[in-house]
Amino acid sequence: MRITVIGCGYLGAVHAACMAELGHEVLGIDVDQAKIDLLAAGRAPFYEPGLPELLTSANATGRLRFTTDMSEAAGYDAHFIAVGTPQKKGEYAADLTYVDAAVASLAPHLAPGNVVIGKSTVPVGTARRLAGIVAAAQPEAVLAWNPEFLREGFAVEDTLRPDRLVYGVPDGAAGEHAKAVLDEIYATALGNETPLVVTGYETAELVKVSANAFLATKISFINAIAEVADVTGADVTAIADAIGYDARIGRRFLNAGLGFGGGCLPKDIRAFQARAGELGADQALTFLREVDAINMRRRSRAVDLTRELLDDSLLGKKVAVLGLAFKPESDDVRDSPALDVASQLRSQGARVVAYDPEAVPNAQRLHPELDFASSAEEAAADADAVVLLTEWKQFRALDPEAFGRVVGNRNILDGRNCLSPEEWRAAGWRYRALGRP
Ligand SMILES: NC(=O)c1ccc[n+]([C@@H]2O[C@H](COP(=O)([O-])OP(=O)(O)OC[C@H]3O[C@@H](n4cnc5c(N)ncnc54)[C@H](O)[C@@H]3O)[C@@H](O)[C@H]2O)c1
Ligand SMILES: O=c1ccn([C@@H]2O[C@H](COP(=O)(O)OP(=O)(O)O[C@H]3O[C@H](CO)[C@@H](O)[C@H](O)[C@H]3O)[C@@H](O)[C@H]2O)c(=O)[nH]1
């Protein structure tokens, strides 16, 4: 199959490389010349495990090309829309400018039989509106909605071995055609084991935002329990383990700590609330406001605990921040809880020196006022306190005794509940965590 992927960011670049890996002939298109130049040279424009290897092998086969010129989309059979849908400035709603621009620039190049496949996360109702634009440009082309569930850090694995596939297609022959094309893209290559849900546009769009709303709710649920654990001396990690053994609950996504961030969960739960409101279902999702509020409270709680560790004053104290990315195995700092806490600590008077294995350049662009180090030890040199905000493997593996020799004072906030309190206390550290005694 000849495929274009329009938008080559965290989602699109991985999707393009994986589609080439599955044997398709792929053209990646983006408006960002610098990104396209890197991809065309076989280099990943961001950190994502497994992507560099895929780009190298795909470039060698000649099955993967990149361009900024949309007219090159002419002659391709299927066109994935993978551009950003960020939160609008000052509003909860999603900004659909990029999706609209991508479809508008693709429209003149559509041919009969082409399938336009939406992957971006969009408010329910967007697909039906875009289907009208596609049909007006080329009556014999069809639009499908195929939401993406990949996680950053596991993006390649999740794309090549998804938990499920969802196709939102119209009724009738056009829908049959779209399904056949999607099957040829995925089913032939992935095999028939992947669960498949074939449905209408609105259901497909709602599957995506419902999944993210559920995940966000699960995280905020355990963080709410952590708040109660904090005032009772209970241990939220033991609670999560114990309730997680119940198969109906499950242990995954019950890690209490600094809460969720990134380019998806925060903006998606807000856009979902905004859209429900527009549709007159305001009451349905009011709980998501609380999910968001619980999540944001984690960040101020981390700042407060750091202040407590420093005898109630951050002024002039050196704080070593370990972790800036919104999660490990990613360089993404979009709505990163770690970066937010680092910035709050600084604006409250601390001298912050931060280190992250991959995210320093992105963090530096957003917060040039912070000081950055090139290793955990450099960040921690003579520090009055260490705050661990992203649970990279190398931080989890720190030796409390050796690391203790670097710092000025052995004070640590474990913002991700990822260290052993016993080991750190045994090495003379004052250890604090969120939801743990
Ligand atoms: N990042 C993820 O893990 C993930 C997972 C599932 C779904 N999503 C959804 O996928 C979409 C993309 O997310 P992302 O994280 O990849 O964003 P991103 O910002 O990393 O990438 C978006 C890309 O689109 C490009 N672009 C913007 N306008 C364009 C246009 N008119 N034509 C061509 N390219 C254009 C940008 O230059 C950028 O490279 C969002 O809707 C997001 O919610 C993301
Ligand atoms: O128990 C947990 C699990 C996660 N997190 C945090 O939650 C955020 C999101 O994590 P994760 O969901 O793993 O990362 P994303 O790559 O943002 O993936 C989410 O968002 C994507 C974009 O929509 C979806 O495709 C994925 O299915 C969905 O998991 C991160 O800040 C994590 O630190 C926790 O605090 N506790």
Side-chain angles (χ1 to χ4, degrees):
M1 183 77 66
R2 283 166 59 78
I3 293 172
T4 72
V5 178
I6 300 165
C8 294
Y10 284 94
L11 164 58
V14 171
H15 194 68
C18 287
M19 292 302 103
E21 175 72 12
L22 292 179
H24 303 299
E25 194 183 320
V26 183
L27 177 67
I29 306 175
D30 202 292
V31 290
D32 183 337
Q33 185 70 54
K35 202 172 269 185
I36 288 299
D37 289 345
L38 279 172
L39 287 163
R43 289 169 54 201
F46 49 85
Y47 178 78
E48 181 62 48
L51 180 60
E53 293 79 358
L54 277 192
L55 288 171
T56 306
S57 74
N59 273 8
T61 65
R63 282 201 300 264
L64 181 58
R65 288 196 310 115
F66 291 94
T67 184
T68 53
D69 181 0
M70 185 65 86
S71 71
E72 291 186 41
Y76 282 76
D77 308 306
H79 308 276
F80 283 97
I81 306 293
V83 298
T85 50
Q87 187 178 337
K88 276 188 191 166
K89 285 213 164 45
E91 284 181 50
Y92 266 25
D95 181 354
L96 296 178
T97 315
Y98 307 101
V99 169
D100 290 342
V103 172
S105 60
L106 170 67
H109 309 293
L110 290 172
N114 279 187
V115 183
V116 180
I117 306 166
K119 270 228 160 280
S120 302
T121 303
V122 292
V124 59
T126 306
R128 197 163 290 282
R129 179 172 66 76
L130 295 177
I133 296 171
V134 167
Q138 172 48 260
E140 290 177 59
V142 52
L143 178 111
W145 214 264
N146 169 223
E148 176 58 56
F149 304 95
L150 69 79
R151 299 158 296 163
E152 289 179 25
F154 301 91
V156 170
E157 194 180 316
D158 286 349
T159 306
L160 294 175
R161 277 172 293 280
D163 288 341
R164 78 298 216 180
L165 290 165
V166 176
Y167 305 168
V169 294
D171 291 335
E176 294 287 318
H177 172 66
K179 179 181 180 300
V181 167
L182 281 158
D183 277 347
E184 195 180 329
I185 292 171
Y186 294 121
T188 319
L190 297 176
N192 293 325
E193 308 86 56
T194 311
L196 172 64
V197 178
V198 183
T199 181
Y201 290 143
E202 288 75 15
T203 305
E205 293 168 314
L206 282 173
V207 167
K208 174 63 201 177
V209 286
S210 305
N212 277 2
F214 190 87
L215 294 170
T217 303
K218 199 169 177 189
I219 298 166
S220 277
F221 171 82
I222 200 66
N223 280 328
I225 302 300
E227 288 189 15
V228 183
D230 260 342
V231 293
T232 54
D235 183 342
V236 74
T237 62
I239 298 172
D241 289 344
I243 65 173
Y245 284 122
D246 186 329
R248 294 170 302 175
I249 296 172
R251 181 62 178 82
R252 294 175 77 187
F253 268 68
L254 283 182
N255 294 323
L258 209 49
F260 60 82
C264 293
L265 299 190
K267 62 115 171 138
D268 287 351
I269 60 167
R270 292 172 194 151
F272 198 8
Q273 292 169 73
R275 186 64 182 138
E278 283 166 13
L279 294 167
D282 318 51
Q283 294 295 312
L285 301 181
T286 50
F287 75 97
L288 287 179
R289 208 177 303 155
E290 196 55 38
V291 165
D292 205 351
I294 293 166
N295 191 53
M296 297 309 283
R297 278 207 295 276
R298 307 313 287 160
R299 304 178 185 189
S300 29
R301 174 79 182 140
V303 174
D304 291 346
L305 277 177
T306 310
R307 192 186 304 101
E308 277 176 33
L309 269 175
L310 293 169
D311 303 325
D312 296 327
S313 173
L314 289 166
L315 274 182
K317 305 277 173 62
K318 178 175 175 185
V319 178
V321 163
L322 302 187
L324 293 162
F326 83 107
K327 66 187 271 193
E329 296 304 325
S330 174
D331 66 357
D332 197 345
V333 295
R334 288 178 289 181
D335 206 342
S336 167
L339 188 53
D340 191 0
V341 168
S343 159
Q344 287 189 41
L345 287 168
R346 186 184 183 276
S347 49
Q348 294 190 29
R351 195 159 64 81
V352 171
V353 183
Y355 170 69
D356 185 285
E358 295 294 337
V360 167
N362 284 340
Q364 209 155 18
R365 262 189 293 279
L366 287 185
H367 286 280
E369 76 282 5
L370 296 175
D371 288 323
F372 298 94
S374 50
S375 71
E377 287 73 18
E378 189 190 323
D382 297 323
D384 297 298
V386 175
V387 296
L388 196 168
L389 302 177
T390 313
E391 69 277 32
W392 285 92
K393 207 193 259 166
Q394 68 179 77
F395 300 153
R396 292 197 315 250
L398 281 170
D399 171 10
E401 182 47 50
F403 201 56
R405 289 196 284 273
V406 175
V407 296
N409 288 301
R410 296 190 179 196
N411 291 316
I412 186 157
L413 172 69
D414 178 4
R416 292 292 180 179
N417 290 325
C418 63
L419 303 174
S420 158
E422 296 76 22
E423 278 176 30
W424 284 74
R425 285 186 179 129
W429 287 77
R430 267 171 84 203
Y431 170 96
R432 294 300 304 266
L434 291 95
R436 260 173 150 181

